[in-house]
Structures are given as C-alpha cells and as structure tokens.
Amino acid sequence: IIVARILGQEGFGELGIIQSTVGMFGVFAGFGLGMTATKYVAEFRAKDPPKAGRVIALSNLVSIVSGGVMSLILVFLASWLATHTLAAPDLARLLQIAAGLLFLGALNGAQIGSLAGFEAFRTIARVNLWAGVANFPLIVLGVYLAGITGAVWGLVAGMLVNSILNHVAINDETKRMGITV
C-alpha cells in the first residue's frame, strides 16, 4: 500500500510489469531445480549423504549458470522488449536492473528445494519471515529515495537477503546431517 501510494497508479503498474516480465523469464531460469533438489536430497540425505551433498552442489551450480544465462539474455533483450513488447521504452533500464532479481530468484528456487528435501519446513518459514521483514523496508526506502528504480533495487536487495539466509540455513542443515556439499 505504501509503495502504491508513493509510486502512484502508473508507477505501480510499471513495477507490476517489471515483476511479471522477470517472472516469465524465471520459469526458464529456474530450470525445475527446486523440485529436483527436493526429490534427491530427500532420497539421499540419510542413505547416501555424499550423493545428497553432490546434488545440492550441482543444483546450486546449475541454478547459477541457468539464472546467469537468462539474466544476461534479459539484459541484452531489455531494450527490445521494452520497446516492442511492452510499448514502454523507458522500462528498458528497469528490466536490466531486474535481471539481478531473476538471477537470485533462480538460485533461491534451488536453495528452497534443498531445504525442502531436508524437510526443514520451519526453517523455510523462518527464512521467509525474516526475508519478508527485510524486504519491506528495503523496497519502501528504495521507492522513497529513487521512485520505481529504487523499488526494483529494493526487490533485488530483498532477494539477496533471502538467498543469503537460505545459504546459511542450508549450511546449518548439512552440518546437522553430516553432509558435505
């Protein structure tokens, strides 16, 4: 509500367009790694811990590569997309900034999948709570300081906080289970 009030109807709509476009690319960037990590970490965490560690490492690596590739594609296509698809050339720079959101979102999906494979649902909820608590002031402060550009940077910063918290949680779970990633 605060962000919508500060940005106004048009600015808030533009922010929604940016998020929707990143979400569309996110389907490809995620590569289905969250579900894959969940299945194999759950299957191997007790009976073959080294294999579970390799699954976590591989899903993180593939998410970094696929997220990076899709983010680069978004950066390079941003101007064309903004002009020809969205009919709003001024959104090109915002799409380029939002590529960071795309990259971190892909990584986040793999991380949450690994945590779900550990059945660490309370941990996932706790991480999401703290990420949400951090996200709110980051976005509001970003909007207050820099309008819609600040909102997009706030979203990226919030996703970075989420990824860091997930990384810490995965480290805790792997230590608890005696798994080396």
Side-chain angles (χ1 to χ4, degrees):
I1 295 171
I2 294 169
V3 171
R5 292 276 187 207
I6 295 171
L7 288 178
Q9 197 171 9
E10 185 178 325
F12 195 65
E14 289 175 344
L15 183 61
I17 295 276
I18 297 296
Q19 289 180 294
S20 297
T21 304
V22 168
M24 179 189 67
F25 277 85
V27 171
F28 300 104
F31 226 58
L33 290 169
M35 291 181 47
T36 301
T38 299
K39 181 201 182 307
Y40 290 106
V41 169
E43 184 177 343
F44 296 119
R45 69 176 188 231
K47 70 179 182 181
D48 192 351
K51 192 169 191 174
R54 289 192 305 272
V55 166
I56 293 168
L58 184 60
S59 65
N60 284 338
L61 177 64
V62 173
S63 72
I64 288 168
V65 170
S66 65
V69 167
M70 290 307 295
S71 295
L72 286 174
I73 289 171
L74 180 57
V75 166
F76 290 118
L77 289 180
S79 184
W80 185 87
L81 281 171
T83 302
H84 298 292
T85 304
L86 303 176
D90 53 311
L91 295 182
R93 180 73 180 123
L94 296 175
L95 285 171
Q96 290 173 330
I97 295 168
L101 186 61
L102 177 62
F103 175 77
L104 292 168
L107 178 59
N108 227 15
Q111 291 172 324
I112 291 171
S114 294
L115 288 170
F118 285 119
E119 297 181 21
F121 303 114
R122 281 192 178 157
T123 301
I124 293 169
R126 192 171 40 251
V127 164
N128 287 338
L129 172 69
W130 287 113
V133 166
N135 211 17
F136 175 74
L138 289 169
I139 294 171
V140 172
L141 183 64
V143 168
Y144 180 75
L145 294 175
I148 189 168
T149 302
V152 175
W153 278 115
L155 287 168
V156 172
M159 189 62 78
L160 178 62
V161 168
N162 200 342
S163 293
I164 291 168
L165 293 174
N166 279 331
H167 179 75
V168 169
I170 289 170
N171 283 345
D172 290 346
E173 288 298 320
T174 55
K175 282 181 189 172
R176 188 176 63 79
M177 298 289 290
I179 295 173
T180 302
V181 177

